[in-house]
């Protein structure tokens, strides 16, 4: 848990991360460099007794794909009113952009306009809300 806590606490050091939590897990994408070329994918599954914490590093392009999949398939299972078609429509507007631009744009969209996609999207919107994640582990 110490590693998870350190990642959460430093997650805004290189830009804006994406953090979302459900009743079963926490999922995050944290920029590894100021340019957003590399991202750290983080998950913490509450009911996993052996190894609840998972972390891997990927390029921005691959991270974008994983973030899209997480919202479309993972989060939509927990958030009943999540408007996936509208979310996909926004993602289409990012075609032609490079990986770092896509990651920053999708995170900015979800953080700043979360109510457009759901009345109950459990995301962290700023650094002051990080305590919410730490209180869950």
């Amino acid at each position: 848990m110490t590693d998870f806590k350190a990642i959460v606490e430093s997650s805004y050091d290189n830009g804006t991360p994406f953090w979302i939590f459900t009743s079963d897990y926490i999922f995050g994408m944290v920029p590894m460099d100021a340019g957003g070329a590399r991202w750290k994918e983080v998950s913490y599954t509450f009911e996993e007794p052996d190894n609840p914490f998972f972390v891997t590093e990927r390029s921005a392009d691959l991270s974008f794909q994983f973030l899209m999949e997480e919202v479309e398939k993972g989060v939509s299972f927990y958030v009943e009113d999540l408007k996936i078609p509208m979310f996909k429509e926004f993602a289409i507007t990012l075609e032609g952009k490079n990986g770092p631009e896509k990651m920053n744009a999708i995170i900015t969209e979800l953080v700043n306009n979360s109510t457009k996609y759901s009345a109950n999207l459990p995301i962290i919107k700023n650094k002051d809300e990080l305590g919410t994640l730490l209180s869950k582990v």
Side-chain angles (χ1 to χ4, degrees):
M1 182 171 99
T2 310
D3 291 341
F4 176 75
K5 183 178 178 195
I7 290 171
V8 169
E9 290 175 344
S10 66
S11 64
Y12 278 84
D13 289 358
N14 291 313
T16 304
F18 175 76
W19 289 108
I20 195 158
F21 54 92
T22 70
S23 55
D24 292 329
Y25 67 94
I26 295 169
F27 176 84
M29 286 283 189
V30 179
M32 299 296 299
D33 56 76
R38 306 281 307 162
W39 290 75
K40 188 176 283 190
E41 179 183 329
V42 182
S43 65
Y44 194 99
T45 307
F46 305 129
E47 299 300 319
E48 182 64 46
D50 296 330
N51 192 12
F53 177 56
F54 171 81
V55 63
T56 190
E57 190 178 322
R58 296 192 175 97
S59 70
D61 284 313
L62 202 50
S63 294
F64 179 77
Q65 292 173 19
F66 276 86
L67 177 56
M68 292 294 298
E69 185 174 330
E70 182 61 34
V71 173
E72 290 174 22
K73 296 184 177 140
V75 176
S76 64
F77 180 76
Y78 295 90
V79 180
E80 291 179 15
D81 69 338
L82 188 57
K83 297 177 179 88
I84 295 297
M86 188 181 290
F87 178 67
K88 286 181 177 180
E89 282 176 29
F90 177 79
I92 289 169
T93 70
L94 303 177
E95 287 179 8
K97 296 187 181 295
N98 67 32
E101 289 173 323
K102 286 180 181 179
M103 283 298 288
N104 288 318
I106 200 84
I107 290 169
T108 299
E109 175 69 8
L110 287 169
V111 168
N112 294 339
N113 299 311
S114 60
T115 55
K116 185 163 102 176
Y117 302 101
S118 166
N120 306 297
L121 199 58
I123 66 171
I124 299 301
K125 294 186 178 185
N126 59 58
K127 195 173 186 175
D128 294 338
E129 295 180 3
L130 291 175
T132 302
L133 298 176
L134 298 174
S135 69
K136 295 190 172 296
V137 294

